Amino acid sequence: MSAPPFLPAPIIVTALFGDEDREWFDRQRRDYFPPERNQLAAHLTMFHHLPPACADEVKHRLAQETRTIPAPDARVSGLLSLGRGVAYRIESPALAAIRARLADAFTGLLTPQDQAGWRAHVTVQNKVAPAEAKALLATLERDFRPRPVRIAGLAAYWYRGGPWEPLSRHKFA
């Protein structure tokens, strides 16, 4: 059950994919994610929980990191076992640098999960039996080839317990 919209809620920050890449990841999620748990479009989480009081600062910083800035180069570099799921690894030194600057800006406000470093990935399967995840990982690895992926922008969302509520979107130049 989600919280009423007037209650404070944590903020999630993600990178946005270009349409073709988002659609490809979304197809993967439809194919492999348990349907009852697949409430979100494919996403690349940069921060899992920023305090609601910093919403204006989040929007300001995301705008600074994208306005007049070209999209960072990125690629799908491999697969990642999540134990009970599977994800695609994303490599992007420029996006990692943006995340590091944002982490510095929000020092002291980050949860332990967001302080622990960043392992950029897109989850396409989660919360399944380990054997099922291991089988999917082996299947996907058989045909995997690294490929470029377009990072179109950054976004912030309110997390109220269900599907995320948009807070702001910021496109790269």
Side-chain angles (χ1 to χ4, degrees), residues 66-165:
T66 55
R67 188 179 304 127
T68 72
I69 308 294
D73 289 335
R75 71 185 196 120
V76 181
S77 63
L79 288 140
L80 177 66
S81 171
L82 302 176
R84 297 179 62 85
V86 176
Y88 286 96
R89 279 193 179 104
I90 305 296
E91 282 184 10
S92 176
L95 189 60
I98 290 170
R99 194 217 181 258
R101 287 191 297 273
L102 292 169
D104 285 346
F106 293 109
T107 296
L109 300 175
L110 300 179
T111 63
Q113 181 181 19
D114 287 334
Q115 289 175 27
W118 189 43
R119 185 172 67 167
H121 66 279
V122 178
T123 303
V124 294
Q125 181 191 58
N126 204 8
K127 299 191 170 116
V128 299
E132 185 179 345
K134 188 175 180 178
L136 177 61
L137 181 65
T139 298
L140 294 177
E141 282 179 332
R142 255 193 312 271
D143 296 323
F144 178 78
R145 300 287 178 272
R147 63 189 274 273
V149 63
R150 188 168 74 82
I151 304 296
L154 305 176
Y157 302 89
W158 298 109
Y159 177 68
R160 300 188 194 279
W164 301 347
E165 178 186 324

Side-chain angles (χ1 to χ4, degrees), residues 23-43:
E23 289 168 9
W24 184 79
F25 285 125
D26 279 342
R27 276 194 306 277
Q28 298 279 302
R29 286 176 67 89
R30 280 192 303 275
D31 288 348
Y32 306 123
F33 217 96
E36 69 280 4
R37 296 187 178 277
N38 193 12
Q39 299 181 16
L40 302 170
H43 55 279

